[in-house]
């Protein structure tokens, strides 16, 4: 008797599954849409609960929803009490693990005596692709369920409470990160992202930076003024962003300066590798997915892409002139091969200019854009003019004042009898702060202060 029941039940389930597969594959999408629409209406007549969905991405996946992030933070403090399936994350260095609700998990919450249900889900939809293996796009979302009699208190008070509390939790648990962009070809697919990150742990500060004190104070004041300028930038009608150009010989501390700026302002750092960006459109998408309170960095911009060469090539084509080197077929072939390698990225000078101060640069706020270069004269003037790179900072060779800062950091030394001779030699020799620091660092326990200073 029991065996017959199970046999009939399995046959019924198999039949339903077959019917569902045929419905999904062979019925027109328009007809399925109508059927789902009227099914929902039918269910709504007998179901007393209302559902609100909060999707992870808005605007055709261009930007991550702030509401989704706030809800995720809010539920992380509540889900550990009721949920069975959790994901573990570390909020800050040295702190305990934070538990976050996993996919397909449901938790309850109570607000002013009203009970609600939160569930986490995702939907994998196939993308249009010529590949033999289907490519899926993951769309995650939270669903809030509550009784229809509590609509007013939930929509007007509870949702606002969740978003406010979630943002406060994000500030408390915020961990600064160092991001790098993934190659454009890897942006599609299962759980694909445009940015990858690690925890930002660079220890550099302005106090440890080998630079004149007056110059450091000037930069710090400029950064503070910018970070507090939200209302001012809105008043004058400018996007809340600022450009810094760091230029100077190799080893003068340009990368260290960026780390010191990030630590001083408590900002994230986005390090863009232009050669892996397919075109201007992808560069714009990278910008949209950056957050506020961040420094966007393009290091050695004169080497990343031949941006200046694009304009010079057009000018040469217009004039019709060729150099002796270009007339030589062997030299010409080598130059073409070199340019071909750079053309794997189709980012243009125009695209980069729009990235810095075009209309899309106003998406979000409180961003600093930093370019570094060893050869400022190689950059197109349009790229570094005021308004794009607002502040130009020359990272020069080490002076005696900068040497004293490094001596204090590395050797805990305020003065020494050799300082006079070192000051005299520094006036005659160009030496980078990196070289000075390397000589001041003891290489063994036997090396003392005097040995390092003599070096």
């Amino acid at each position: 008797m029991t065996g017959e029941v199970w046999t009939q039940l399995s046959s019924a389930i198999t039949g339903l599954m077959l019917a569902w597969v045929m419905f999904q594959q062979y019925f027109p999408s328009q007809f399925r849409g109508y059927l789902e629409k009227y099914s929902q209406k039918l269910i709504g007549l007998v179901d007393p609960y209302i559902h609100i969905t909060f999707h992870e991405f808005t605007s055709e996946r261009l930007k991550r929803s702030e509401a989704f992030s706030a809800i995720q933070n809010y539920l992380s403090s509540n889900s550990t009490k009721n949920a069975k399936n959790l994901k573990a994350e570390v909020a800050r260095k040295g702190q305990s693990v934070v538990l976050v609700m996993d996919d397909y998990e449901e938790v309850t919450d109570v607000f002013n005596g009203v009970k609600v249900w939160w569930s986490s889900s995702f939907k994998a939809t196939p993308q249009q692709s010529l590949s033999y293996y289907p490519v899926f796009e993951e769309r995650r979302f939270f669903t809030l369920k509550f009784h229809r009699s509590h609509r007013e208190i939930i929509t007007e008070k509870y949702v606002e409470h969740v978003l406010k509390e979630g943002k406060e939790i994000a500030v408390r648990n915020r961990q600064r990160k160092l991001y790098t962009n993934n190659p454009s070809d890897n942006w599609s697919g299962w759980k694909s992202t445009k940015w990858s990150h690690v925890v930002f742990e660079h220890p550099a500060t302005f106090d440890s930076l080998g630079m004149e004190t007056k110059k450091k104070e000037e930069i710090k004041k400029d950064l503070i003024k910018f970070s507090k300028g939200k209302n001012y930038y809105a008043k004058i009608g400018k996007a809340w962003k600022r450009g810094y150009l760091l230029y100077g010989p190799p080893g003068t501390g340009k990368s260290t300066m960026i780390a010191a700026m990030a630590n001083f302002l408590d900002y994230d750092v986005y390090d863009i590798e232009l050669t892996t960006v397919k075109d201007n459109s992808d560069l714009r998408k990278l910008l949209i997915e950056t957050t506020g309170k961040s420094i966007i960095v393009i290091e050695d911009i004169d080497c990343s892409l031949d941006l200046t060469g694009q304009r010079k090539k057009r000018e040469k084509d217009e004039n019709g002139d060729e150099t002796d080197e270009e007339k030589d077929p062997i030299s010409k072939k080598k130059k073409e091969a070199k340019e071909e390698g750079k053309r794997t990225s189709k980012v243009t000078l125009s695209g980069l200019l729009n990235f810095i101060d075009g209309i899309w640069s106003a998406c979000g706020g409180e961003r600093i854009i930093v370019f570094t270069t060893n050869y400022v004269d190689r950059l197109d003037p349009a790229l570094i003019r005021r308004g794009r790179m607002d502040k130009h900072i020359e990272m020069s060779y080490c002076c005696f004042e900068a040497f004293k800062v490094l001596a204090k950091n590395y050797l805990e030394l305020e003065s020494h009898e050799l300082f006079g001779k070192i000051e005299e030699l520094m006036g005659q020799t160009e030496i980078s702060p990196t070289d000075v620091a390397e000589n001041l660092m003891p290489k063994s326990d036997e090396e003392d202060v005097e040995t390092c200073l003599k070096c």
Side-chain angles (χ1 to χ4, degrees):
M1 195 70 179
T2 308
E4 290 179 6
V5 170
W6 281 110
T7 303
Q8 292 174 4
L9 184 62
S10 62
S11 300
I13 292 172
T14 305
L16 284 171
M17 290 178 65
L18 183 61
W20 176 252
V21 170
M22 292 180 66
F23 173 75
Q24 289 288 333
Q25 288 191 355
Y26 298 109
F27 279 72
S29 58
Q30 190 175 6
F31 176 78
R32 294 202 308 270
Y34 278 121
L35 191 61
E36 289 175 9
K37 174 183 174 181
Y38 290 109
S39 298
Q40 290 290 338
K41 284 187 175 182
L42 243 145
I43 294 169
L45 294 175
V46 293
D47 185 9
Y49 292 97
I50 295 173
H51 299 78
I52 302 177
T53 303
F54 298 87
H55 291 276
E56 182 178 11
F57 287 93
T58 58
S59 306
E60 298 297 326
R61 290 188 67 85
L62 284 179
K63 189 176 182 181
R64 197 171 193 258
S65 168
E66 292 182 6
F68 182 91
S69 300
I71 292 167
Q72 190 175 45
N73 293 325
Y74 175 82
L75 293 177
S76 69
S77 63
N78 183 58
S79 60
T80 53
K81 302 172 186 176
N82 305 315
K84 294 181 179 179
N85 299 315
L86 300 165
K87 290 186 289 188
E89 295 179 358
V90 179
R92 277 183 179 271
K93 187 178 179 181
Q95 287 189 353
S96 58
V97 172
V98 174
L99 300 178
V100 184
M101 188 169 66
D102 204 354
D103 295 325
Y104 297 115
E105 186 59 68
E106 183 177 90
V107 295
T108 58
D109 192 21
V110 179
F111 179 75
N112 291 349
V114 177
K115 188 176 182 180
V116 299
W117 292 263
W118 284 99
S119 60
S120 171
S121 307
F122 72 86
K123 185 178 181 182
T125 55
Q127 291 183 323
Q128 291 184 352
S129 174
L130 299 176
S131 173
Y132 179 77
Y133 298 99
V135 179
F136 290 90
E137 183 178 22
E138 183 184 276
R139 297 179 181 270
R140 300 177 64 209
F141 56 91
F142 287 114
T143 302
L144 170 62
K145 186 177 78 170
F146 57 91
H147 198 276
R148 65 176 62 168
S149 61
H150 305 304
R151 177 193 286 266
E152 188 175 343
I153 189 173
I154 298 300
T155 56
E156 294 181 7
K157 296 181 180 180
Y158 176 68
V159 173
E160 184 181 348
H161 161 74
V162 170
L163 298 181
K164 182 180 178 182
E165 184 71 19
K167 289 176 182 177
E168 290 175 358
I169 293 170
V171 172
R172 291 198 299 268
N173 295 338
R174 183 171 178 263
Q175 187 180 46
R176 289 188 300 120
K177 297 171 183 175
L178 172 62
Y179 293 86
T180 183
N181 56 302
N182 298 321
S184 297
D185 295 338
N186 298 343
W187 287 3
S188 61
W190 180 255
K191 292 190 176 181
S192 57
T193 57
K194 295 177 178 63
W195 294 98
S196 298
H197 70 265
V198 295
V199 178
F200 184 76
E201 297 179 322
H202 201 296
T205 63
F206 277 101
D207 291 336
S208 63
L209 200 62
M211 180 184 281
E212 303 95 316
T213 304
K214 184 180 177 181
K215 196 171 184 179
K216 287 195 285 189
E217 289 301 317
E218 179 190 336
I219 296 168
K220 285 163 69 175
K221 288 177 182 177
D222 189 87
L223 292 170
I224 292 170
K225 185 70 174 176
F226 167 78
S227 65
K228 296 179 178 178
K230 181 178 181 180
N231 295 331
Y232 178 75
Y233 276 82
K235 176 186 170 184
I236 63 176
K238 284 188 67 176
W240 190 15
K241 63 177 183 59
R242 188 157 176 79
Y244 286 78
L245 176 67
L246 308 182
Y247 66 95
T252 50
K254 294 183 284 294
S255 299
T256 308
M257 169 65 79
I258 295 168
M261 291 167 66
N263 286 327
F264 182 69
L265 293 173
D266 199 28
Y267 281 10
D268 294 323
V269 177
Y270 288 85
D271 185 15
I272 297 181
E273 177 54 58
L274 283 179
T275 55
T276 64
V277 183
K278 187 170 63 176
D279 52 31
N280 295 336
S281 177
D282 284 353
L283 184 62
R284 192 180 302 128
K285 290 174 184 176
L286 284 174
L287 174 66
I288 293 168
E289 285 211 7
T290 59
T291 60
K293 291 185 178 295
S294 62
I295 299 177
I296 301 171
V297 180
I298 302 179
E299 293 199 88
D300 297 319
I301 192 167
D302 54 300
C303 304
S304 297
L305 294 172
D306 191 17
L307 299 170
T308 305
Q310 295 171 6
R311 181 171 292 191
K312 288 181 178 178
K313 186 176 184 298
R314 286 197 300 270
E315 290 174 357
K316 185 199 73 176
D317 291 341
E318 289 171 4
N319 297 330
D321 298 330
E322 282 188 334
T323 63
D324 292 336
E325 184 183 348
E326 288 170 335
K327 289 176 182 178
D328 178 35
I330 298 176
S331 300
K332 193 172 183 180
K333 195 73 177 175
K334 287 181 180 178
K335 188 175 181 181
E336 286 175 358
K338 185 179 178 182
E339 289 178 352
E340 184 64 33
K342 291 184 177 180
R343 279 200 293 268
T344 54
S345 172
K346 295 181 181 178
V347 174
T348 63
L349 178 62
S350 172
L352 191 57
L353 297 181
N354 288 328
F355 172 83
I356 301 169
D357 70 344
I359 294 174
W360 287 89
S361 67
C363 296
E366 201 171 356
R367 291 189 183 98
I368 290 175
I369 300 173
V370 179
F371 290 167
T372 72
T373 179
N374 295 334
Y375 308 100
V376 68
D377 54 314
R378 293 182 183 178
L379 299 179
D380 195 294
L383 189 64
I384 59 175
R385 68 162 175 80
R386 306 293 176 174
R388 288 183 176 133
M389 292 292 104
D390 305 285
K391 189 169 182 64
H392 295 193
I393 302 173
E394 182 180 6
M395 308 295 291
S396 57
Y397 289 109
C398 191
C399 63
F400 182 66
E401 186 180 352
F403 161 78
K404 288 196 293 183
V405 173
L406 294 172
K408 186 177 180 180
N409 291 339
Y410 283 82
L411 301 174
E412 299 181 355
L413 205 61
E414 296 280 355
S415 62
H416 193 274
E417 59 182 14
L418 289 174
F419 274 22
K421 181 64 176 176
I422 290 171
E423 184 177 9
E424 180 187 340
L425 290 170
M426 282 193 140
Q428 305 169 6
T429 310
E430 291 182 339
I431 182 170
S432 70
T434 305
D435 290 330
V436 172
E438 180 61 26
N439 283 288
L440 289 177
M441 184 183 293
K443 308 301 186 300
S444 66
D445 294 336
E446 287 75 25
E447 289 191 7
D448 56 9
V449 169
E450 192 164 343
T451 305
C452 294
L453 290 177
K454 285 181 177 178
C455 288

